[in-house]
Amino acid sequence: MRTRVRGWRWRRNPLRRRSDVVEAWTVLLVAVLLCVVAPLAGVAAGLHAHDRAQSRALVQRAERHQVRAQVVGPVSDTSPLVHRDRGHTYSAEVRWTDPDGTTRTTLARVPAGTRTEDTVTVWFDRRGHSVAPPANDVAVWQHTVTMGLCAMGGTIAVALLARTVERRVALRRRLTEWDRDWARTGPKWTRPRA
């Protein structure tokens, strides 16, 4: 039959060792890290990531413009470009007319399944290069949540790793103390009796 006494490491006790006190404080510290610090780190990282992603999306919206164009060349079906949230895109020759009446033709990214003569929306930067559409609010929030969860998970992993290392060091120290104490008291117990 085992009897467990809760909080014995905190009370005055002649059997309590310094390593027991250190272990008790470490457990308390790890609990605070897991319950308070890790969520706060996740929220802080998420808010920082949200601000950066939001400003990057605003810059992209200012630098990029969309054009309705007609696919005039064959769609390249080899080596698709993969974009988050937008799936595969392929390269094809497209043609459109600018507001000033100039007809332009260039290679642009088109969605998978596009055929010649289809009308598609393509995005260009200021230099006229075909680019992906700017990040929308959903992509910004996905980035925010991902970064927050990664920061929280990293904090939890570091806390648990530190706890594991502390436990191993405490166990080694405890075994060393027991060996030293046994070397002192062992001969008294194992003497041959006459």
Side-chain angles (χ1 to χ4, degrees):
M1 181 168 154
R2 288 179 53 178
T3 303
R4 294 195 70 170
V5 179
R6 298 205 183 271
W8 69 272
R9 288 183 170 115
W10 297 101
R11 291 189 237 139
R12 295 247 180 248
N13 183 340
L15 298 177
R16 182 182 73 176
R17 297 175 302 266
R18 194 174 85 188
S19 62
D20 296 329
V21 175
V22 169
E23 193 168 357
W25 279 104
T26 304
V27 167
L28 180 66
L29 179 65
V30 168
V32 168
L33 284 172
L34 294 179
C35 296
V36 177
V37 176
L40 287 177
V43 168
L47 290 174
H48 179 71
H50 180 75
D51 290 342
R52 289 190 55 157
Q54 191 70 31
S55 62
R56 194 173 329 125
L58 289 173
V59 168
Q60 286 179 351
R61 287 184 196 125
E63 290 178 345
R64 299 175 184 186
H65 63 281
Q66 67 178 353
V67 173
R68 295 288 295 165
Q70 184 177 19
V71 178
V72 293
V75 177
S76 167
D77 58 354
T78 59
S79 66
L81 303 166
V82 180
H83 298 284
R84 288 179 303 196
D85 308 326
R86 291 181 278 282
H88 295 293
T89 58
Y90 294 87
S91 181
E93 190 173 352
V94 296
R95 181 180 302 142
W96 75 97
T97 304
D98 281 339
D100 63 0
T102 307
T103 301
R104 296 182 181 260
T105 304
T106 189
L107 284 176
R109 299 174 183 186
V110 296
T114 303
R115 292 175 293 210
T116 304
E117 302 296 324
D118 285 352
T119 302
V120 294
T121 301
V122 291
W123 288 84
F124 294 99
D125 61 8
R126 290 182 179 174
R127 295 173 293 192
H129 296 110
S130 177
V131 292
N136 58 13
D137 290 336
V138 172
V140 169
W141 278 107
Q142 285 175 341
H143 180 71
T144 300
V145 170
T146 301
M147 294 308 291
L149 289 175
C150 287
M152 187 171 79
T155 305
I156 289 170
V158 167
L160 293 178
L161 179 65
R163 169 71 175 133
T164 302
V165 168
E166 182 276 331
R167 249 186 104 99
R168 286 185 181 215
V169 169
L171 180 62
R172 281 190 186 147
R173 178 167 285 190
R174 197 174 299 133
L175 289 173
T176 303
E177 288 173 3
W178 286 345
D179 285 342
R180 186 179 60 233
D181 290 345
W182 181 251
R184 217 174 331 138
T185 60
K188 295 176 188 175
W189 289 85
T190 58
R191 266 191 294 221
R193 297 179 192 239

